[in-house]
Amino acid sequence: TTLFPIESKLIANLIGSIILFSLIIYHTIKLEILSFCFNYKILRNSLVYSLPLIPNIFAGWIVSSSDRLFIANEKSLEVVAYYSVAAMIAKLLYFIQDGITQVSDPLTLSGLEDNIKNAKQNLLKFSYQLFSLMIFLNLGLYFFSKELILIFSSKNYIEGFYLVPILGLSYVFSS
């Protein structure tokens, strides 16, 4: 056992963060960089637009957790741990794919306004290139999944290396 369990470190971080936050707020108010005012109209409008999103957020959370719940029910928590680490590594593909599509989508839409036929050809060419890139990156995950697991977690989860490219395929096909 340790003299100071992990909870004491977390509490110390929380207290330090609260003190730092309080000092920053105090100085920003004192220097008149920040002022607080309450506007009921803005609150009402914010709630009108944000409350309908709550079921969507809950549904997304349920969908993102349901696979782990099924695995835990059918197998064991050890397998869920392997799966979770592999999913974390495979999610690297999602971040790359999402970054590319966040940039390309506005360009695609603007191209559709100018010349639809040319834009469709460019979109098809871009889709093939993105798909090829994602397959290549997933192949890289396949070859280096053991090393990535060792970098991002520990050798206890190395058995999940074979799941990385399988989970990565879901991001390849979604691109």
Side-chain angles (χ1 to χ4, degrees):
T1 64
T2 60
L3 185 60
F4 300 105
I6 189 69
E7 291 86 7
S8 61
K9 293 179 183 179
L10 293 173
I11 291 170
N13 283 336
L14 176 67
I15 292 170
S17 297
I18 290 171
I19 291 171
L20 184 62
F21 177 75
S22 302
L23 287 172
I24 289 171
I25 293 296
Y26 172 76
H27 285 293
T28 53
I29 292 173
K30 185 177 177 183
L31 296 173
E32 297 178 359
I33 297 172
L34 182 67
S35 65
F36 290 103
C37 64
F38 194 79
N39 188 332
Y40 286 103
K41 185 176 180 182
I42 292 175
L43 175 65
R44 188 182 69 77
N45 287 338
S46 298
L47 289 175
V48 165
Y49 288 111
S50 63
L51 285 178
L53 296 175
I54 291 176
N56 186 25
I57 293 168
F58 281 132
W61 180 75
I62 290 170
V63 166
S64 68
S65 300
S66 62
D67 53 353
R68 288 163 179 83
L69 292 173
F70 285 122
I71 293 171
N73 190 31
E74 293 296 319
K75 297 289 183 182
S76 67
L77 290 178
E78 182 180 4
V79 176
V80 173
Y82 298 147
Y83 177 85
S84 295
V85 170
M88 176 185 66
I89 303 294
K91 200 160 189 126
L92 291 171
L93 284 178
Y94 167 76
F95 291 126
I96 293 169
Q97 179 255 341
D98 188 52
I100 292 170
T101 55
Q102 292 286 332
V103 171
S104 67
D105 285 350
L107 296 173
T108 302
L109 292 176
S110 66
L112 287 174
E113 291 176 357
D114 298 337
N115 185 353
I116 294 176
K117 187 175 181 180
N118 191 25
K120 285 182 181 180
Q121 290 175 344
N122 288 339
L123 182 60
L124 184 63
K125 182 180 174 183
F126 174 76
S127 296
Y128 285 136
Q129 290 172 342
L130 179 61
F131 186 73
S132 300
L133 174 68
M134 294 300 289
I135 291 235
F136 176 75
L137 292 174
N138 193 42
L139 191 61
L141 281 181
Y142 173 72
F143 287 125
F144 298 108
S145 59
K146 285 183 180 179
E147 289 79 8
L148 288 169
I149 288 175
L150 290 174
I151 290 170
F152 290 113
S153 65
S154 70
K155 65 181 179 180
N156 297 334
Y157 302 104
I158 201 74
E159 289 185 41
F161 79 94
Y162 64 91
L163 293 171
V164 174
I166 296 168
L167 295 171
L169 279 177
S170 67
Y171 299 117
V172 169
F173 290 122
S174 71
S175 66

